[in-house]
Amino acid sequence: MERYRKLKTDIEKFNYCQTLMDMNEVLYYKFLKVNIKELAPIIYTPTVGKACLTFGEIYRRPRGMYLSVQDKGDMLSMIYNFPVKDVDIIVMTDGGRILGLGDLGANGMGIPVGKLALYVAAGGIHPGRVLPITIDVGTNNEKLRGKDSYLGMDIPRLQGDEYYEVVDEAMRAIKQRWPDVLIQFEDFSSDKAHTLLDKYRYSDEEYLCFNDDIQGTGAVIVSGLFNALRANELNYEEIMNQKIVIVGGGSAGIGVAEAIKAAMKFYGFSEKEALNQFYILDKDGLITSTRNHVTDPQRPFANIRKDLPDGLSLVDTIKEVKPDILLGISGCGGIFTEEVVKTFHEHSSRRPIIFPLSNPTSKAECTAEDCYNWTNGEVIFASGSPFEPVTIGDNCFYPSQGNNMFIFPGLGLGAILCKAHYISDKMLFAASTALAETVPDEFIECGRVYPDVTNIREVSAKVAFAVIKEALANNNYRKRVLGRMSDDNLRAYIDTKMWKPKYTPIIPHSS
């Protein structure tokens, strides 16, 4: 760690970690597990975004699989040529929307590699049973295509049937070789993400899959909002009575809205009652029933909004609505201006809840320092990327980070251990509730809504337990022995299945 801390830039630290992974995986994961709070922002957001921008320049060795349009007809053979018998979890991307950085094509491979490192370190998945995959369908980023260092296909991004045929062949090949594998869709563009999830999630062929940008983000934000309600001395079911403004109408923004809507319905709201609590804005302002062009996922949230003019600005929406919660998932850095935050604060009856969630840090809708200062320290704040503590007078405030790593490692662990048929909304809700309950009262009292990252292994185990219990309750599992276990035995079983980074003796110990 001493050598690591002497490095000057985050990219140097990222390269150091990647080199250690290449040389000695056990040591790398021990290093990561022990220092997870310091290293997570390096191996994943925000630094992984910088690494993806220069992926070709810092490329050292192949890791994972690339499947491209040139491989059509041969993907099954390629999958069977992969020299690993059993794979439990795949993180798949097409590089179409990397964090808030846009279309990075094959450079997006840094994201699956980083996510799977967190599956191992935080969720205890065996490092030999994970596989990053990039579907290379070209890129519309002409700056990348013009670089000699770009490793991907030098073609414009495929669209329409040609695109979906490539993805479908890859999915079928994966399913044939590893029928029980969990596939996590990652950083697909908004126009593809929901389509792919809807196609495979409830397929007759039982693809065990989820989209972390849509469902993982939604689950972690629901958990954070539950604890924000606790901080305002409200119960979880009060989520039904919160008016919510979401800035960002893409797949992640709608995914968060859908997750919160599901929580409202769980506590008793009808579909219409829940939809009426949301006000969603995109680059053109408030989305309403009179908007000419909306996506299918946006449509229910647009159709319910007949009470305000289409395109209303963020400030004017806040003035009209007087919302309780403001969420940013826009990828537009700084859009929560001083006027926006102060207007929201002025119209809040309790401590304002503001989550600027876009990644990396440069894309955050506002900084923690600004948000605390503009609200005189009253805000309940959580962001997508980490921020340093903020001091105002004699008070020090510790920003929460709504990182998906609090959800996806435990969700994945639970799903593969019980051999779930599919990832259900109830499993995601159970994960949200379990995560919320890991946050101690002393954190809540000072406005912190997520647990300390140093406890991530314990958090993942509790999330996995809740996910498995939900799967058992709904007969959504194939590992039948789990249904006969007591809760204590199930917790012990989860612990024994979590891989620990330690060397295996070459010579067995004698008895």
Side-chain angles (χ1 to χ4, degrees), residues 1-13:
M1 199 64 187
E2 182 179 352
R3 167 71 180 125
Y4 170 86
R5 287 176 177 154
K6 287 180 179 178
L7 299 172
K8 295 181 180 179
T9 69
D10 288 346
I11 284 294
E12 287 178 321
K13 293 176 179 179

Side-chain angles (χ1 to χ4, degrees), residues 331-367:
C332 186
I335 197 171
F336 290 176
T337 62
E338 183 174 1
E339 182 185 13
V340 166
V341 173
K342 286 187 172 181
T343 301
F344 179 65
H345 187 207
E346 289 167 7
H347 290 88
S348 297
S349 58
R350 294 184 175 87
R351 294 178 65 185
I353 300 169
I354 301 178
F355 288 11
L357 298 167
S358 293
N359 289 312
T361 310
S362 62
K363 301 293 183 179
E365 285 76 12
C366 66
T367 66

Side-chain angles (χ1 to χ4, degrees), residues 158-233:
L158 299 183
Q159 300 295 336
D161 291 344
E162 192 175 10
Y163 170 88
Y164 290 109
E165 287 169 6
V166 172
V167 176
D168 194 58
E169 183 177 341
M171 291 291 289
R172 290 178 180 276
I174 291 165
K175 177 69 175 176
Q176 183 166 329
R177 182 167 186 199
W178 300 300
D180 296 329
V181 72
L182 170 66
I183 301 171
Q184 174 177 317
F185 296 118
E186 188 70 30
D187 285 350
F188 285 78
S189 59
S190 296
D191 61 324
K192 306 291 195 309
H194 272 94
T195 302
L196 291 171
L197 179 63
D198 292 344
K199 177 176 181 178
Y200 295 107
R201 186 183 185 192
Y202 295 121
S203 166
D204 291 340
E205 296 169 4
E206 289 193 354
Y207 290 92
L208 181 61
C209 65
F210 75 105
N211 184 302
D212 189 52
D213 305 300
I214 297 172
Q215 297 164 289
T217 301
V220 81
I221 300 312
V222 167
S223 178
L225 292 179
F226 281 164
N227 283 332
L229 295 175
R230 283 173 64 190
N232 272 332
E233 300 182 343

Side-chain angles (χ1 to χ4, degrees), residues 27 77 87 122 194 231 249 273 317 339 398 405 495:
L27 180 59
S77 297
V87 173
H194 272 94
E273 288 172 325
T317 300
E339 182 185 13
Y398 294 87
M405 69 183 286
D495 181 68

Side-chain angles (χ1 to χ4, degrees), residues 422-443:
Y422 59 92
I423 303 294
S424 69
D425 288 340
K426 289 184 177 180
M427 291 164 74
L428 290 159
F429 184 78
S432 295
T433 306
L435 172 58
E437 292 171 353
T438 66
V439 181
D441 288 340
E442 56 266 29
F443 276 32

Side-chain angles (χ1 to χ4, degrees), residues 72-145:
K72 285 184 68 176
D74 296 320
M75 290 186 192
L76 183 60
S77 297
M78 294 173 69
I79 291 293
Y80 270 97
N81 281 336
F82 190 75
V84 173
K85 181 181 178 182
D86 296 307
V87 173
D88 290 330
I89 296 180
I90 288 170
V91 176
M92 176 190 291
T93 188
D94 71 348
R97 187 197 59 82
I98 298 300
L99 302 176
L101 302 171
D103 182 356
L104 297 185
N107 280 14
M109 179 58 99
I111 298 296
V113 171
K115 277 284 173 85
L116 288 168
L118 293 176
Y119 264 113
V120 176
I125 309 300
H126 194 289
R129 300 172 72 104
V130 300
L131 175 61
I133 291 181
T134 290
I135 307 295
D136 186 358
V137 289
T139 176
N140 291 333
N141 188 327
E142 294 183 4
K143 287 185 178 179
L144 275 183
R145 294 212 313 263

